[in-house]
Amino acid sequence: GTGSIYTFYPPDAPEFAKLMGDFTQKDLPTLMANLGVPNEPLPLWWTADFINADPGKPGTPCTMDKWIVGEFNCSCVGISKCLPAYCKADTPNASFFDIPVKDVMEATYLGNLMGQKALDILSSSKMKAPSPAAAKVINRLEAIKGAMAMGVLSKDEGNGMLSKLFEV
């Protein structure tokens, strides 16, 4: 797809314990406050791509433990495993069946896990009103979905607007 080479590590990988601790305990609370949602749960669909700021040459061991977030992804957790189905100039007929079975299984697992976590969050907070920021997002989602259902927006237009809501 993108030409990037991805290396996936589990969240509890020991070589990244300090990074994860700093990010989850220090950086995320500040980020959530800056976004105006300090008391909301961390969105399930967020991923962060970290880049080591070590000025050394590629392929050599890191000499310092300084990391920066290269980007936040808010809509594609697990989808990188499905890139073989992405149609582009050199693969115009790509389809779901081009995704290796192992990758389909992993993407499905992640999708099901996120769905279950989302359901758990919604179930545990049924009696709570959403924060003003969350209510604004919900209203925008409902307005776009309603416009699509009534034919005011095409499916492509509506989906484009929905994806823009989650860009950071």
Side-chain angles (χ1 to χ4, degrees):
T2 64
S4 299
I5 298 172
Y6 295 94
T7 303
F8 296 92
Y9 294 92
D12 59 352
E15 59 265 53
F16 301 111
K18 181 179 181 327
L19 169 64
M20 287 299 294
D22 288 347
F23 187 65
T24 58
Q25 302 303 312
K26 297 175 186 174
D27 300 328
L28 279 178
T30 301
L31 176 64
M32 296 297 282
N34 288 340
L35 291 173
V37 290
N39 299 317
E40 295 294 323
L42 182 66
L44 290 172
W45 55 87
W46 277 14
T47 64
D49 294 343
F50 291 93
I51 300 169
N52 191 292
D54 188 328
K57 293 183 180 180
T60 61
C62 296
T63 59
M64 56 192 253
D65 193 27
K66 181 178 180 183
W67 295 87
I68 57 171
V69 173
E71 67 179 335
F72 284 102
N73 294 309
C74 299
S75 61
C76 64
V77 176
I79 302 300
S80 62
K81 294 291 185 179
C82 299
L83 284 174
Y86 172 59
C87 295
K88 51 191 185 301
D90 61 333
T91 56
N93 298 314
S95 75
F96 175 81
F97 299 104
D98 294 316
I99 305 169
V101 172
K102 181 181 176 195
D103 291 346
V104 168
M105 292 173 66
E106 186 173 337
T108 301
Y109 168 79
L110 290 171
N112 290 342
L113 176 65
M114 287 184 286
Q116 186 58 55
K117 294 292 185 183
L119 183 61
D120 292 347
I121 290 169
L122 290 172
S123 296
S124 71
S125 64
K126 281 185 181 177
M127 302 312 276
K128 297 180 206 171
S131 70
K136 185 187 289 187
V137 172
I138 292 167
N139 288 338
R140 288 178 181 171
L141 289 170
E142 293 301 323
I144 293 169
K145 286 171 44 181
M148 289 169 60
M150 294 173 40
V152 175
L153 293 173
S154 71
K155 183 178 178 182
D156 288 340
E157 291 170 323
N159 287 334
M161 293 176 82
L162 287 171
S163 68
K164 287 182 181 181
L165 278 175
F166 298 104
E167 290 178 359
V168 173

